[in-house]
């Protein structure tokens, strides 16, 4: 069965390219990529805006979640430094700057690293590169 990709829009071609089995249909992949190049060279990409794919949508959702976690970890670290103590949610202890300065700063460092890591993942996710 031959498919006429010349009648497809750029967004339809991109969708086909994303979902086609490259091993089963290498000749179709080549035709689709040629058609995508033709449309981009002709400026057709402005006429058919690219829809967000499922993978990109999931990456964006993860990015928002990572951004939220980044702010939560940053808030916990900042509030801990300003109060001089960090309470343990499991009621197993309290990290206090005066009583246990090493433990306190270890927890602050962990929170800061977690915040930075989640912020990095968020920025990477919004950039479309995924998680």
């Amino acid at each position: 069965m031959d498919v006429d990709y010349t009648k497809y829009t750029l967004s339809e071609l991109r969708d086909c390219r994303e979902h086609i089995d490259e091993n089963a249909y290498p000749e179709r992949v080549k035709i689709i990529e040629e058609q995508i190049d033709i449309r981009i060279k002709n400026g057709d990409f402005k006429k058919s805006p690219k829809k967000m794919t499922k993978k990109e949508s999931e990456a964006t959702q993860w990015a928002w979640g990572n951004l939220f976690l980044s702010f939560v970890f940053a808030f916990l670290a900042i509030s801990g430094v300003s109060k001089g103590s960090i309470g343990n949610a499991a009621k197993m202890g309290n990290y206090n700057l005066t009583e246990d300065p090493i433990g306190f700063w270890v927890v602050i460092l962990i929170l800061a690293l977690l915040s930075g890591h989640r912020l990095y993942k968020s920025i990477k996710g919004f950039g479309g590169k995924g998680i």
Side-chain angles (χ1 to χ4, degrees):
M1 177 174 105
D2 288 334
V3 180
D4 186 11
Y5 290 110
T6 61
K7 297 181 180 178
Y8 282 48
T9 65
L10 182 60
S11 62
E12 290 171 333
L13 288 168
R14 286 179 172 157
D15 187 53
C16 288
R17 177 63 183 98
E18 183 177 335
H19 294 97
I20 195 166
D21 183 357
E22 293 181 38
N23 297 328
Y25 305 102
E27 67 284 343
R28 288 187 185 182
V29 170
K30 184 179 178 188
I31 294 169
I32 291 170
E33 288 176 349
E34 289 172 355
Q35 289 298 316
I36 289 172
D37 289 341
I38 289 169
R39 281 165 184 66
I40 290 174
K41 288 177 185 173
N42 291 339
D44 290 347
F45 62 92
K46 293 178 184 174
K47 296 176 188 170
S48 58
K50 183 179 178 243
K51 294 179 183 176
M52 188 178 287
T53 64
K54 183 178 179 182
K55 186 176 182 179
E56 290 170 333
S57 175
E58 289 173 357
T60 302
Q61 289 175 348
W62 276 104
W64 279 111
N66 284 325
L67 185 63
F68 173 75
L69 286 174
S70 173
F71 286 133
V72 168
F73 292 137
F75 171 77
L76 290 173
I78 292 168
S79 67
V81 169
S82 66
K83 291 189 298 185
S85 70
I86 295 180
N88 190 332
K91 307 265 190 254
M92 295 181 67
N94 208 10
Y95 295 101
N96 193 307
L97 184 57
T98 56
E99 295 174 12
D100 185 11
I102 294 174
F104 173 80
W105 286 112
V106 166
V107 171
I108 293 295
L109 178 65
I110 290 170
L111 288 171
L113 289 173
L114 286 171
S115 177
H117 182 260
R118 291 290 110 191
L119 183 61
Y120 167 76
K121 290 295 218 175
S122 175
I123 292 169
K124 188 175 175 184
F126 283 124
K129 295 186 184 359
I131 305 297

